[in-house]
Amino acid sequence: MALILNRTLVLASINTSYTQQLAINRNRMGITGDNYKHSAALLKKLTIICFRIAVLVSLCYNGYNVLVTLNLLNHTSTPDLAWLYTRLLPDKYFGYNVDYYADSKYMKTPSSQVMIGPTSDMYWPIFLNFCWSSFTETLIAAIQGKKPYTETGITIFEHSLAFQEFSSNGAFFFTNSKYHKRPTEQVLLATLFSIFNHLNIHIGALINNNKYRLIPSTIIGMAFLTYFISTFSQWKVLQFPFILILTFTPQVLILGIIFISFTIFIIAIMINGFELKGLNYASFFLHELNEEEDEDTLSLNINLNDDFYTALLNVGILAITSAGKSSYITELSLITVDNDTWIERSLWQQLKQKLTRNNIRNVKSRDLVQYLRDNQISGYANLISQPSSRLITGTPYSDAVEVNNTSQEQSVWRRRIEFMKVMIIDAWQLIYGLLVDSFLLDYLPGLFRKRQLNHEETNEEFEKRKQRIPQFLQKYVTRRVSERSTAISTDLIPEDELTSRLLIGDRELSEVDNSGDYIDEPDEISDSEYESDEEIEEIIPEDTPTSIYDLFTFEDFNEIITSPNTLLVLQQHMQYSGNGPLTRSHYRDLHPTTQLPNSMNNDATKLIELIIEKRANKSHIPNNELLSRLECVICQTNIREIITWPCKCFAICENCRLSLVSKGIEGCVCCRREVEGVSKVFIP
Amino acid sequence: MAERRLFQEYNRYKKSPPSKSNPQIISLNPISEDNIFNWQAIISKPTKKDNPFYYGGQWKLSIAVSRQYPLEPPVIKFITPIVHPNINLKTGEICLDILKKDAWSPAWNLEHLLVAILMLLDSPEPDSPLNIDAANLYRHDPVGFQSMVQFNMWKVGSFVDVKKSTPTTITKSNQVIRDVSGSKIRAIIA
């Protein structure tokens, strides 16, 4: 029987798509005859409701019978849930009346038995009822072209096996068995929950088409599973029918797994600071939140019209597959523990949070310094990852827009307006500077002055002018001298005076040199004199370290002698037998082809060569020395890596920064300026 | 940290002694290599050009470096008694802001401190005195202050070159002058 029913059910569910098609066709045909269709639909609806109500009534009756039997069991023996029965099943309503049940076929107390109460025969009508219920559901589903809601907790097949195992032998079809067995509590309770499930299906179908079936189904299912788990103690679970043990043990395990997973998830959330963000499984819930309108497709693969055991299985599969991927182990991997301590985190943020509460838009340097002072934090604790332009340009306490901090907060329009403001101010300053400062104040008076000063003042004019000025100012008045005559023409001044003037340097010399070549009296210079000069050069530095020694060492002199060009010049100089010493023009006369080695052009190249050479020498300094220049000024061992704002002293290392923070030292260690923050600098 | 830094400094002073760059610093080294935290220094003002009051003098300093160095300044004291408005005559304690915690900077080292003390000798600050008598004298009678300083140096024998100005070679007239100023000083000290 059960097998047949099961097959019909399976067939019905396979045929649904076909029946749906049929239903649609029917609907299409019915478009023409509205009246007929309406009445037919009503009739169909009524029939379905009648079917359901009939099933409901019989289910209620059987349920009542089960409850009565349970109540009886409570009196005759000591069931597990005795406390529940005594509280919930008053004798007044659920008492077993022997006389009343004497007529009923399956609930009567058998005459051949000593005991009171129904035998296991009572399972039979219940089973028939289940069959009927399933059949009705399948039939209605087939008529309506829907998927039938099946009871997945305990199928009819399982019921039949369970009842068979616990019923009296030989009770065939509609006959009463001769060997009686008592209905056991476990089977009765399983039956009761099954009845509830069937009731749930039919009531749900009547009320809202089983839209929220999962909720009552979960309550019933959880209740039964709880009872099932509770029977594990004292091995009472073995009193369940074998098939039920087989069915429910996996579900208990699944429930356990889900429970463990959920616990892990909760712990992860707690560790994450009660935030879902960043967790592996948060995606399920966040997704759910994002698509609230789409109620039917939850990411957990559960539909609200599902039944409890299907949902349990789906969640269980999810949990088990996740466990297989060992994602619980990595669940916390995405939780990023802040690498920074409070010391490292930028104080700007803390400050900003504080100040934004007071609606202050631009955090200013002054505020920060004040904040630091108020909280007795040294600026070294403020690690800035991206120094703002104000810090870099170093404008102290400017109210300039903090590009770094405000760009995100301000709207595009506000920023544009601010830029416009700056532009307008700049343009105004430019115009003002050009018009007023240079033109009006400098250029125009300059015009007048020029006209006045074009002629040189004579002594008489000067005296006249002096008379006009008040007496106490007269001593400050000087005679005007034409500016053009300041540069003295070299031609006008005798030669010996020229050098003295040049040395005194009170006035510029004219650049035009009209003097002839220098010609001196023939004067023999002996070699010994040169040597003595050399000796002096050698001796002087040893005695007194004068500034000349710093500029020009004996080595440099040696270099000059050994360099080929100068050597040539020196040779010429020594061998020159003309009039007086060798001058440049003489040299040029002697060597017209060769360019003078120490001409202007050559000097420049030589200087560059020298610079390059010196630099090359400098770069050859061993690395140690270079590194020692970069040693932290405090510990003098580590390399400098912290730059302080806004003074931009690059002097300390990270360790020393931390010790400065712990010591609460304020101000830059090098320049004593207020430290607003520091940044780490990396020297590759 | 302190030990490491001090060894670094010591090595540097060994490589290029402070006396080379600043002739007024005669020596700067730890008392013994075993204890890097106790140093000794000798500073001097050799000629009158160096200092109009303290010329010819030389003083020994004790430097006690704390374990917190360089985050905390070392404690520097004059071992050789010195008459100076900002230095305690008896204990040798120095009143100098950068030797205090507030003005001290970890970027400085012992050599910097010696230079600072030498500068303190050049320009005493009578407004925050440790030696009030010296401060008063410095303020109102610089010549008297000079002779008192010199007398004290003569008394404790802290001259740069002992041969040049030991009491034995001092001329009679010199002696008288020194005595006269000395009696004055004694009156002040008493």
Side-chain angles (χ1 to χ4, degrees):
Chain A
M1 177 76 182
L3 270 172
I4 292 161
L5 266 173
N6 241 348
R7 286 307 95 191
T8 53
L9 195 138
V10 168
L11 276 171
S13 32
I14 287 166
N15 281 338
T16 40
S17 57
Y18 175 67
T19 46
Q20 267 174 354
Q21 196 63 45
L22 277 181
I24 290 163
N25 286 344
R26 267 202 305 276
N27 278 348
R28 273 178 194 158
M29 288 193 303
I31 290 168
T32 47
D34 260 355
N35 213 8
Y36 160 75
K37 184 200 157 196
H38 191 71
S39 56
L42 197 72
L43 198 70
K44 198 170 101 181
K45 229 177 199 172
L46 272 174
T47 327
I48 289 166
I49 289 170
C50 287
F51 269 128
R52 286 207 193 275
I53 286 172
V55 172
L56 277 177
V57 167
S58 69
L59 277 173
C60 285
Y61 175 71
N62 279 316
Y64 177 73
N65 279 349
V66 170
L67 287 175
V68 166
T69 320
L70 279 173
N71 189 29
L72 185 70
L73 270 179
N74 190 23
H75 289 294
T76 52
S77 60
T78 50
D80 298 333
L81 301 175
W83 54 273
L84 199 69
Y85 306 142
T86 40
R87 198 164 299 167
L88 286 181
L89 306 173
D91 287 343
K92 192 178 168 190
Y93 302 111
F94 296 99
Y96 182 75
N97 191 341
V98 185
D99 298 333
Y100 174 74
Y101 282 109
D103 297 337
S104 69
K105 194 173 181 185
Y106 300 108
M107 285 294 285
K108 69 178 182 194
T109 307
S111 50
S112 55
Q113 290 294 314
V114 191
M115 66 180 184
I116 299 169
T119 60
S120 55
D121 286 345
M122 67 168 293
Y123 293 147
W124 182 238
I126 296 171
F127 178 69
L128 281 179
N129 203 343
F130 285 158
C131 290
W132 185 29
S133 164
S134 298
F135 180 74
T136 314
E137 174 62 30
T138 316
L139 187 74
I140 289 167
I143 288 167
Q144 286 180 328
K146 280 183 195 159
K147 208 178 156 201
Y149 293 104
T150 47
E151 162 56 30
T152 46
I154 310 169
T155 58
I156 300 166
F157 187 63
E158 280 159 2
H159 265 300
S160 75
L161 283 179
F163 288 151
Q164 182 61 37
E165 190 181 337
F166 274 81
S167 60
S168 327
N169 296 327
F172 285 116
F173 291 96
F174 300 97
T175 56
N176 285 344
S177 60
K178 282 174 186 126
Y179 309 99
H180 302 293
K181 261 189 181 175
R182 282 244 175 201
T184 59
E185 188 200 4
Q186 281 80 13
V187 179
L188 280 175
L189 274 176
T191 317
L192 188 67
F193 280 114
S194 226
I195 287 168
F196 282 153
N197 268 330
H198 279 272
L199 279 174
N200 178 27
I201 288 170
H202 288 286
I203 293 171
L206 279 178
I207 292 170
N208 54 8
N209 203 13
N210 273 333
K211 210 170 174 187
Y212 302 108
R213 181 179 166 213
L214 185 61
I215 298 162
S217 172
T218 307
I219 296 165
I220 296 160
M222 282 305 288
F224 181 68
L225 277 185
T226 314
Y227 171 65
F228 187 74
I229 292 162
S230 73
T231 55
F232 273 101
S233 60
Q234 303 170 1
W235 296 102
K236 276 188 179 157
V237 73
L238 293 176
Q239 291 170 14
F240 271 103
F242 182 65
I243 186 74
L244 291 191
I245 298 173
L246 273 187
T247 317
F248 284 105
T249 314
Q251 281 174 357
V252 168
L253 291 178
I254 288 169
L255 196 71
I257 287 165
I258 291 168
F259 180 72
I260 290 166
S261 315
F262 193 70
T263 317
I264 290 170
F265 186 61
I266 294 289
I267 290 169
I269 288 173
M270 278 164 69
I271 291 170
N272 203 19
F274 294 100
E275 266 184 60
L276 274 174
K277 239 182 246 172
L279 292 176
N280 282 336
Y281 287 88
S283 55
F284 292 115
F285 300 96
L286 292 179
H287 176 71
E288 192 178 335
L289 289 175
N290 287 339
E291 297 181 18
E292 270 178 313
E293 304 126 25
D294 202 3
E295 279 178 8
D296 286 348
T297 54
L298 293 188
S299 46
L300 279 173
N301 200 14
I302 299 172
N303 287 335
L304 263 180
N305 55 1
D306 256 343
D307 111 294
F308 168 68
Y309 296 101
T310 325
L312 185 75
L313 206 70
N314 284 336
V315 177
I317 284 167
L318 179 78
I320 289 166
T321 46
S322 307
K325 287 182 211 152
S326 72
S327 44
Y328 293 112
I329 297 167
T330 56
E331 176 68 318
L332 284 173
S333 68
L334 282 175
I335 300 174
T336 46
V337 177
D338 220 338
N339 280 326
D340 303 343
T341 57
W342 63 272
I343 290 172
E344 271 119 358
R345 236 170 279 132
S346 176
L347 283 178
W348 268 115
Q349 263 133 34
Q350 296 173 27
L351 181 66
K352 224 167 65 189
Q353 278 171 4
K354 259 202 180 144
L355 292 180
T356 40
R357 257 178 248 144
N358 304 334
N359 276 331
I360 294 173
R361 190 166 286 283
N362 292 344
V363 182
K364 284 164 200 154
S365 166
R366 218 177 285 117
D367 302 328
L368 178 73
V369 172
Q370 193 56 45
Y371 176 77
L372 292 174
R373 205 168 291 146
D374 291 347
N375 292 285
Q376 295 184 328
I377 302 167
S378 93
Y380 288 103
N382 182 16
L383 203 66
I384 298 168
S385 56
Q386 285 177 312
S388 62
S389 58
R390 182 187 59 75
L391 288 175
I392 291 166
T393 51
T395 44
Y397 298 137
S398 79
D399 293 357
V401 181
E402 290 279 337
V403 177
N404 188 23
N405 288 315
T406 53
S407 57
Q408 286 167 352
E409 291 167 20
Q410 290 178 341
S411 68
V412 179
W413 283 105
R414 186 173 279 281
R415 258 183 287 160
R416 278 183 193 165
I417 288 165
E418 245 153 37
F419 282 132
M420 278 294 286
K421 222 159 64 186
V422 172
M423 274 167 71
I424 289 166
I425 289 167
D426 285 353
W428 166 244
Q429 279 176 347
L430 183 74
I431 291 163
Y432 183 85
L434 281 176
L435 258 179
V436 179
D437 280 3
S438 345
F439 186 73
L440 284 176
L441 296 180
D442 281 353
Y443 183 68
L444 287 183
L447 275 179
F448 292 116
R449 208 179 295 145
K450 250 181 203 161
R451 203 170 291 161
Q452 271 188 348
L453 295 178
N454 261 347
H455 65 281
E456 197 168 343
E457 209 174 32
T458 57
N459 271 339
E460 288 164 30
E461 280 172 329
F462 172 63
E463 286 299 324
K464 232 187 217 170
R465 198 162 57 91
K466 210 171 174 181
Q467 292 302 317
R468 272 183 276 146
I469 292 163
Q471 280 219 326
F472 67 96
L473 282 175
Q474 276 182 5
K475 57 179 170 179
Y476 298 110
V477 178
T478 51
R479 201 182 137 210
R480 252 180 233 143
V481 180
S482 170
E483 282 171 32
R484 283 181 190 175
S485 61
T486 42
I488 303 157
S489 167
T490 46
D491 296 344
L492 298 174
I493 300 157
E495 289 259 322
D496 39 336
E497 209 180 310
L498 189 74
T499 43
S500 67
R501 284 213 180 188
L502 195 72
L503 286 170
I504 294 160
D506 54 348
R507 270 184 207 165
E508 283 177 59
L509 278 178
S510 147
E511 297 237 336
V512 187
D513 186 3
N514 294 324
S515 64
D517 290 338
Y518 176 73
I519 298 164
D520 203 14
E521 250 72 20
D523 195 348
E524 287 293 316
I525 300 158
S526 65
D527 283 3
S528 62
E529 267 186 57
Y530 268 101
E531 274 176 17
S532 68
D533 269 352
E534 265 185 40
E535 271 173 22
I536 287 160
E537 287 255 9
E538 239 178 345
I539 291 157
I540 283 166
E542 281 179 359
D543 277 348
T544 49
T546 55
S547 57
I548 295 162
Y549 172 61
D550 292 338
L551 290 170
F552 193 78
T553 58
F554 179 61
E555 282 92 280
D556 291 337
F557 182 70
N558 241 345
E559 215 174 77
I560 287 166
I561 291 169
T562 48
S563 77
N565 273 338
T566 33
L567 198 67
L568 191 74
V569 177
L570 274 175
Q571 271 175 359
Q572 290 291 333
H573 206 90
M574 309 270 267
Q575 290 159 7
Y576 184 64
S577 54
N579 241 357
L582 181 78
T583 61
R584 285 183 207 182
S585 54
H586 287 156
Y587 187 87
R588 215 178 290 133
D589 291 340
L590 282 173
H591 305 274
T593 46
T594 55
Q595 218 190 356
L596 199 65
N598 46 358
S599 69
M600 271 307 277
N601 188 27
N602 225 344
D603 272 350
T605 50
K606 206 174 170 198
L607 185 67
I608 289 166
E609 272 169 24
L610 189 75
I611 289 167
I612 291 168
E613 195 184 318
K614 289 274 174 193
R615 281 199 183 147
N617 281 343
K618 215 164 205 175
S619 67
H620 281 303
I621 293 170
N623 251 353
N624 290 336
E625 236 171 277
L626 198 78
L627 286 178
S628 76
R629 276 193 44 75
L630 282 173
E631 271 167 9
C632 162
V633 294
I634 297 180
C635 63
Q636 299 188 346
T637 35
N638 299 341
I639 301 296
R640 307 177 184 196
E641 49 188 340
I642 297 292
I643 189 165
T644 44
W645 303 111
C647 64
K648 286 180 269 189
C649 288
F650 178 59
I652 60 172
C653 66
E654 171 69 16
N655 287 343
C656 292
R657 180 183 78 85
L658 291 175
S659 48
L660 286 176
V661 171
S662 66
K663 279 267 161 190
I665 289 172
E666 290 164 10
C668 176
V669 291
C670 292
C671 66
R672 288 178 179 277
R673 252 182 92 172
E674 199 86 50
V675 176
E676 281 173 34
V678 294
S679 285
K680 214 167 184 176
V681 173
F682 298 98
I683 309 171
Chain B
M1 184 166 149
E3 223 160 9
R4 215 155 161 197
R5 154 94 187 236
L6 283 169
F7 272 115
Q8 289 270 0
E9 277 188 42
Y10 183 38
N11 285 335
R12 212 177 46 243
Y13 298 148
K14 269 202 285 195
K15 217 184 269 173
S16 60
S19 53
K20 208 172 173 184
S21 56
N22 190 343
Q24 294 184 356
I25 300 171
I26 289 170
S27 71
L28 169 62
N29 42 342
I31 293 169
S32 72
E33 296 240 346
D34 305 329
N35 187 0
I36 196 79
F37 291 100
N38 282 327
W39 289 57
Q40 201 170 49
I42 298 171
I43 57 171
S44 68
K45 290 282 179 191
T47 61
K48 202 157 184 171
K49 221 170 80 186
D50 292 322
N51 190 303
F53 308 110
Y54 294 95
Y55 57 88
Q58 128 176 333
W59 302 270
K60 209 185 238 180
L61 301 168
S62 81
I63 305 172
V65 187
S66 86
R67 297 263 161 189
Q68 301 295 321
Y69 181 82
L71 296 173
E72 279 178 10
V75 178
I76 303 186
K77 279 181 179 167
F78 272 81
I79 296 175
T80 315
I82 183 170
V83 174
H84 188 280
N86 304 108
I87 297 163
N88 193 316
L89 186 66
K90 277 175 190 152
T91 61
E93 193 187 328
I94 305 168
C95 176
L96 186 59
D97 60 342
I98 65 160
L99 284 173
K100 302 283 181 292
K101 232 176 170 179
D102 297 329
W104 161 256
S105 162
W108 291 325
N109 58 27
L110 299 179
E111 191 184 341
H112 289 133
L113 287 175
L114 289 189
V115 172
I117 290 167
L118 282 166
M119 285 174 79
L120 183 71
L121 292 187
D122 289 346
S123 51
E125 190 54 68
D127 292 338
S128 61
L130 263 182
N131 185 343
I132 299 160
D133 301 324
N136 281 331
L137 196 63
Y138 174 77
R139 207 181 272 152
H140 303 299
D141 185 4
V143 181
F145 177 71
Q146 177 200 341
S147 44
M148 176 171 153
V149 164
Q150 290 294 325
F151 165 74
N152 187 62
M153 275 158 54
W154 166 78
K155 207 175 92 182
V156 299
S158 60
F159 288 107
V160 175
D161 200 347
V162 184
K163 274 179 218 156
K164 271 182 196 164
S165 46
T166 39
T168 50
T169 52
I170 292 169
T171 54
K172 191 82 181 168
S173 56
N174 251 346
Q175 181 96 48
V176 170
I177 294 160
R178 278 185 188 277
D179 262 351
V180 167
S181 58
S183 64
K184 267 187 194 165
I185 294 155
R186 251 174 234 135
I188 291 163
I189 290 168

